[in-house]
Amino acid sequence: MEVFDYRPLAAVLVSLVGTAAIVALHRRPNYREGATMLTALAKFGIVASMLPAVLAGTTFVWSFGTFVPGVEFALRADPLGMLFAFLASGLWIITSLYSIGYMRGLDEHGQTRYFASFAVSLSATMGIAFASNLVTIFVFYELLSVATYPLVAHDEDDRARSAGRKYIAYTFFGGGVLVLAGTVLTFWLTGTTDFTAGGIPMLAEVAAADPWLAKLTFVLLAVGFGVKAGLMPLHQWLPEAMVAPTPVSGLLHAVAVVKSGAFGVARVTLDVFGPELAFDLGMGLALSVLAAFTLTAASLIAIRKDHLKQRLAYSTVSQLSYIVLGLGLFGWYGLIGALLHIPAHAFMKLTLFFCAGAIHVETHTDYISQMAGIGKRMPVTLGAFAVTAAGMAGMPLLAGFVSKYYMLIGAAELGGVFLYLAGALLVSGVLNVVYFWPVVYTAFFEAEDDHDAKPLVDAPMGGERRSLLAATDGGRPPEDGEGTAEDDDVDIPDAEGDDGVIQPDFSPGDRDYSEPAPTVDTGDYAVDQYPSDHLEDDHDERGIDHDDHHDTEDHDDHHHGGPPTGGWRRLSAREALAGRETTWFMLGPILAAALGAVLLGIVPYRMVFLGLIELIVENAGVMP
């Protein structure tokens, strides 16, 4: 049953009203952040108010009238749109809260622009979620790219602008042009672009008459949306965008951008072609094979990344491919698993990025090899990281296990060549353990002055007597004849950083396993020189008094990353339980997102998402 209602429009416009308030209050930060939180709460309230009726079978619609001849510019709150809108609006609340702690903790510049761009991005996201046809979703899809550009290029230096240009080139011009081409072709073939549960009926007739034309239409739309979903080889914008502040990484990877790409692929599969027609055209196998390649290759690349955010970036490329792979299975279980992985990945990956950001704000440490023993300094944060990393690997009782279990059953149900896809899922789960476990092991089971070798990062394969990357100022330098190049046949760099941190030699032509960026003379990666990474030199240049930073006595921040001299300060159990390792603006959202990942793994129906997803799949004409 369709009901004409203003709430889909209100969900889009409330962020724009909030943007105006944020800009108007730029001279009063507390009120500005208050406007951000009120806007986020209002948006979630509007979306949540529609959820019970949508679960009962009601669809809310709003139309602006004819946009182009034969096409309305309309919004439609159906079950699939509600899945994306409910998730994004809910996570925006905790992301906004986290942003306050992060941006103020680093005393970042351009905070008003940051919060305003965030609000506009969520407005575009709601438009994507509630778009009723391909034309409307294309408009909001492009607006999202424009709105998030200031966030990617936030640092305003050469690398940030380069990352922003690459982001626009891939998502706005590359993916957008393909989506537009597919939209025009769909309209030409069928006379409509309206989303229809189970697929546009006229497309079946077109496919019967000219299957190759139908296949071309599917490829244009799926690949166009797949650019934002990070499908290889169109994923390069995503790791480059990690120069942005960490909450932006959370937005890109968990709340809006990459999810909009996966959501677009879901719309094409379920509401443009329909699962049955897409399967008959053979698109499912092609889509799944591309996704299987992406999730495996991205996992292998992630293993070699020492920079934590870079490792998480390639993890996202891999994990988003699970969603696309599940959509390509087309059966009941495969589709359930694919759609359930949208909220599962969102909760888990948002937690991981929040943890990385908190570590950065409190200790300026971004490299895994410099995190030996950091678990005693930030036990709650690293504990949340460990739990959600286990979920990403598909461990039971966590969100990742439930979604991947459904996809494995879906692949086994189809049999034949699809069994190889089940194998890819299992291999990727093992690779998740390989690239997440070193973070947990380094944090909790290594000491600052005693490190294991990291052969997958250090190279050559097979390991060394000690880790080159993990030598920090909290330990001791090698004595004469101990751990030398003569012993190991490895060139150990003798250059030290400002704090005595032994830096690996990442000169061009040698090796660069952690960062594709050019190197600088100090041996650090160029990404470490940017304001969002909050080096103390940046504070000094801007005349910021370190003593003004909150809770100074609890911060090991007067160095350039890694443990301070003497090692990390161990927090007592009382301090850890009291949240003394960072501010509650950041610790609260970390725990909230981690709790969501746990609850979605234990009681998925109670979290609403699974019931909503089953309704989506049933409406698409797929029954168990």
Side-chain angles (χ1 to χ4, degrees):
M1 179 178 66
E2 291 190 355
V3 175
F4 193 82
D5 196 283
Y6 69 91
R7 281 177 286 182
L9 176 64
V12 174
L13 295 182
V14 67
S15 294
L16 299 181
V17 175
T19 301
I22 290 168
V23 173
L25 296 169
H26 69 282
R27 296 186 183 278
R28 309 184 73 177
N30 289 340
Y31 289 98
R32 179 190 63 201
E33 268 75 289
T36 297
M37 293 304 303
L38 286 175
T39 303
L41 290 169
K43 181 183 290 291
F44 180 72
I46 293 169
V47 173
S49 69
M50 295 185 282
L51 186 59
V54 170
L55 285 169
T58 300
T59 299
F60 297 100
V61 296
W62 178 276
S63 176
F64 291 90
T66 301
F67 182 62
V68 295
V71 178
E72 279 190 309
F73 191 71
L75 301 175
R76 174 187 177 91
D78 60 4
L80 182 55
M82 282 298 300
L83 172 67
F84 188 31
F86 186 69
L87 175 68
S89 60
L91 292 183
W92 188 35
I93 297 174
I94 61 175
T95 304
S96 296
L97 188 64
Y98 181 89
S99 293
I100 296 171
Y102 184 92
M103 299 300 284
R104 292 195 179 191
L106 296 183
D107 212 357
E108 282 279 3
H109 70 287
Q111 293 189 27
T112 298
R113 181 188 64 199
Y114 169 90
F115 285 105
S117 297
F118 232 122
V120 176
S121 299
L122 265 294
S123 183
T125 301
M126 291 301 107
I128 291 172
F130 293 142
S132 68
N133 54 60
L134 284 170
V135 174
T136 305
I137 199 174
F138 166 75
V139 172
F140 285 109
Y141 186 81
E142 297 291 74
L143 287 175
L144 180 61
S145 296
V146 174
T148 48
Y149 171 81
L151 298 173
V152 174
H154 175 81
D155 285 349
E156 301 180 18
D157 53 31
D158 290 341
R159 180 168 169 82
R161 291 190 179 94
S162 175
R165 287 193 297 269
K166 178 174 284 190
Y167 171 66
I168 286 292
Y170 273 78
T171 62
F172 186 86
F173 294 105
V177 167
L178 292 175
V179 171
L180 179 60
T183 299
V184 171
L185 196 54
T186 301
F187 184 76
W188 178 61
L189 292 173
T190 65
T192 184
T193 62
D194 291 342
F195 295 136
T196 305
I200 300 173
M202 184 65 70
L203 267 178
E205 299 177 15
V206 172
D210 192 342
W212 286 104
L213 196 56
K215 290 178 181 179
L216 175 62
T217 305
F218 185 93
V219 169
L220 288 173
L221 291 171
V223 174
F225 287 113
V227 172
K228 269 195 171 73
L231 286 178
M232 287 184 172
L234 303 173
H235 69 290
Q236 285 296 330
W237 66 269
L238 203 154
E240 291 292 320
M242 290 302 98
V243 299
T246 300
V248 176
S249 302
L251 169 75
L252 291 172
H253 290 260
V255 181
V257 178
V258 294
K259 288 299 187 301
S260 72
F263 175 78
V265 176
R267 277 292 193 197
V268 172
T269 301
L270 300 176
D271 295 342
V272 177
F273 280 79
E276 183 177 354
L277 176 59
F279 183 82
D280 291 340
L281 290 171
M283 292 293 97
L285 182 60
L287 198 63
S288 297
V289 168
L290 176 60
F293 166 77
T294 300
L295 65 89
T296 305
S299 296
L300 291 172
I301 296 173
I303 294 171
R304 303 284 287 189
K305 297 300 176 183
D306 187 40
H307 194 282
L308 182 56
K309 282 178 65 176
Q310 284 283 314
R311 185 168 294 198
L312 294 178
Y314 279 98
S315 169
T316 294
V317 175
S318 174
Q319 291 289 325
L320 264 292
S321 297
Y322 282 99
I323 300 171
V324 178
L325 189 152
L327 290 171
L329 295 177
F330 295 140
W332 168 268
Y333 292 103
L335 291 174
I336 291 289
L339 295 175
L340 187 59
H341 202 62
I342 293 177
H345 175 264
F347 283 108
M348 294 185 296
K349 186 50 66 69
L350 196 62
T351 305
L352 295 174
F353 271 109
F354 281 177
C355 291
I359 293 169
H360 175 74
V361 170
E362 299 303 318
T363 71
H364 311 308
T365 302
D366 298 306
Y367 294 95
I368 299 165
S369 55
Q370 293 182 336
M371 293 182 183
I374 199 173
K376 64 186 180 184
R377 167 65 178 82
M378 305 186 72
V380 177
T381 299
L382 270 299
F385 188 99
V387 169
T388 48
M392 295 288 283
M395 298 299 177
L397 302 181
L398 295 166
F401 171 78
V402 181
S403 58
K404 293 177 183 180
Y405 176 79
Y406 271 104
M407 282 185 270
L408 284 171
I409 296 299
E413 184 181 41
L414 292 176
V417 70
F418 288 94
L419 291 177
Y420 291 101
L421 302 178
L425 288 171
L426 294 173
V427 169
S428 178
V430 174
L431 292 176
N432 272 260
V433 176
V434 172
Y435 64 73
F436 276 126
W437 172 246
V439 183
V440 179
Y441 179 79
T442 300
F444 287 108
F445 301 104
E446 287 191 335
E448 297 89 327
D449 58 351
D450 186 16
H451 311 283
D452 290 343
K454 305 295 188 298
L456 292 177
V457 176
D458 290 336
M461 304 302 286
E464 302 167 0
R465 187 184 182 282
R466 64 179 184 83
S467 173
L468 299 181
L469 295 175
T472 69
D473 57 342
R476 60 178 179 82
E479 298 176 358
D480 293 339
E482 180 182 6
T484 62
E486 290 80 6
D487 291 336
D488 299 317
D489 294 325
V490 177
D491 292 331
I492 297 178
D494 54 7
E496 294 186 359
D498 295 337
D499 300 313
V501 179
I502 298 177
Q503 297 290 346
D505 179 13
F506 288 112
S507 57
D510 187 1
R511 65 174 188 245
D512 186 358
Y513 303 126
S514 302
E515 181 68 29
T519 57
V520 294
D521 292 337
T522 61
D524 291 327
Y525 295 114
V527 71
D528 284 332
Q529 307 303 311
Y530 303 134
S532 68
D533 283 328
H534 190 56
L535 298 180
E536 290 303 312
D537 291 342
D538 298 324
H539 262 54
D540 296 337
E541 290 172 2
R542 286 181 282 169
I544 298 172
D545 186 356
H546 300 299
D547 294 335
D548 291 338
H549 189 56
H550 67 280
D551 197 18
T552 304
E553 65 179 5
D554 287 334
H555 289 251
D556 305 303
D557 59 357
H558 297 287
H559 59 290
H560 289 203
T565 303
W568 304 109
R569 186 177 75 84
R570 181 183 296 276
L571 266 65
S572 66
R574 182 176 180 179
E575 287 176 315
L577 292 175
R580 294 293 299 278
E581 60 195 69
T582 186
T583 68
W584 278 105
F585 278 106
M586 289 189 288
L587 192 59
I590 289 172
L591 295 177
L595 179 62
V598 173
L599 292 178
L600 193 58
I602 298 176
V603 286
Y605 280 103
R606 295 286 183 180
M607 292 287 286
V608 177
F609 294 109
L610 187 53
L612 191 60
I613 289 168
E614 289 183 350
L615 180 61
I616 294 168
V617 177
E618 289 176 5
N619 288 345
V622 180
M623 302 302 293

